[in-house]
């Protein structure tokens, strides 16, 4: 979770910096995040945020397989698609407002939609592979994945015009998109928490502590028994 926390915070830094740099040109309530690409340095910040999220997704993918929680190629394929999509979002900027959609803009918009669509697949695949959960996190992950999938589906139905046109026609689209970005990071945090809590290696370490680990709890019982015997002798 510490690694995920650092990467999550790092992914938010370019977003905050883009808001500061483009404060006078981009309305955070009405305008999409991709419009920061038209501000000097904004395109680089979008790419940096996408790269950080891509690396975070790949780290989680490796962890879930090493922990034995992921089964089959679906989780890996979905997370790799997520990582590639996040890189393409930054590598292919959208078009300026009021212009026809170019190839770069279509790649940008389709990649952003794809990144949101595949995350629920990762969550559902991970939840299904956990046969005997130790906590309520897998069930929460499933509920969050289903909720995220429904929200993304409804959003895309309304938002499909953005794939081919410059504006979506959705009121407060910029605010909705920014909230979605935060939800994406939150979902990655939930994935990380589920992996850490449900990892079989956690139980193994509790039952078989590593060499050199503290064994004070193993000597507590004999010590108490010895003290008890001496107390009984004194009383006798």
């Amino acid at each position: 979770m510490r690694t995920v926390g650092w990467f999550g915070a790092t992914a938010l830094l370019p977003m905050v910096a883009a808001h500061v740099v483009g404060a006078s040109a981009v309305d955070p309530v009405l305008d999409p995040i991709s419009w920061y690409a038209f501000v000097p340095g904004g395109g680089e910040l979008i790419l940096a945020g996408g790269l950080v999220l891509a690396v975070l997704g790949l780290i989680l993918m490796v962890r879930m397989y090493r922990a034995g929680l992921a089964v089959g190629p679906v989780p890996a394929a979905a997370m790799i698609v997520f990582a590639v999509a996040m890189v393409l979002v930054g590598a292919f900027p959208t078009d300026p407002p009021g212009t026809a959609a170019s190839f770069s803009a279509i790649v940008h918009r389709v990649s952003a939609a794809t990144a949101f669509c595949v995350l629920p697949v990762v969550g559902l695949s991970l939840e299904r592979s956990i046969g005997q959960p130790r906590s309520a996190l897998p069930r929460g992950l499933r509920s969050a994945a289903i909720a995220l999938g429904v929200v993304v589906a409804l959003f895309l139905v309304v938002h499909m015009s953005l794939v081919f046109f410059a504006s979506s026609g959705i009121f407060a689209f910029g605010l909705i998109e920014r909230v979605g970005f935060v939800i994406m990071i939150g979902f990655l945090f939930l994935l990380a928490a589920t992996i850490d809590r449900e990892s079989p290696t956690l139980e193994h370490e509790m039952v078989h502590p590593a060499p050199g680990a503290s064994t004070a709890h193993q000597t507590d019982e004999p010590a108490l028994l010895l003290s008890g015997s001496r107390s009984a002798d004194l009383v006798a």
Side-chain angles (χ1 to χ4, degrees), residues 34 46-47 81-95 100-116 156 159-165 177:
S34 56
I46 294 175
L47 178 59
V81 169
F82 168 80
V84 173
M86 292 308 304
V87 174
L88 292 179
V89 165
F92 289 84
T94 190
D95 295 326
S102 64
F103 174 78
S104 177
I106 293 177
V107 172
H108 174 89
R109 296 161 187 172
V110 171
S111 298
T114 301
F116 278 99
L156 289 179
H159 185 53
M160 279 303 289
S161 62
L162 189 60
V163 175
F164 300 105
F165 302 100
E177 193 178 53

Side-chain angles (χ1 to χ4, degrees), residues 161-209:
S161 62
L162 189 60
V163 175
F164 300 105
F165 302 100
S167 62
S168 64
I170 301 177
F171 178 73
F173 172 73
L175 179 61
I176 295 173
E177 193 178 53
R178 285 159 178 79
V179 171
F181 183 84
V182 175
I183 292 175
M184 174 187 290
I185 295 180
F187 191 81
L188 293 174
F189 269 90
L190 182 56
L191 277 173
T194 304
I195 295 169
D196 289 345
R197 184 64 184 86
E198 300 298 324
S199 173
T201 58
L202 177 63
E203 182 180 6
H204 178 78
E205 291 172 358
M206 293 175 63
V207 177
H208 305 285

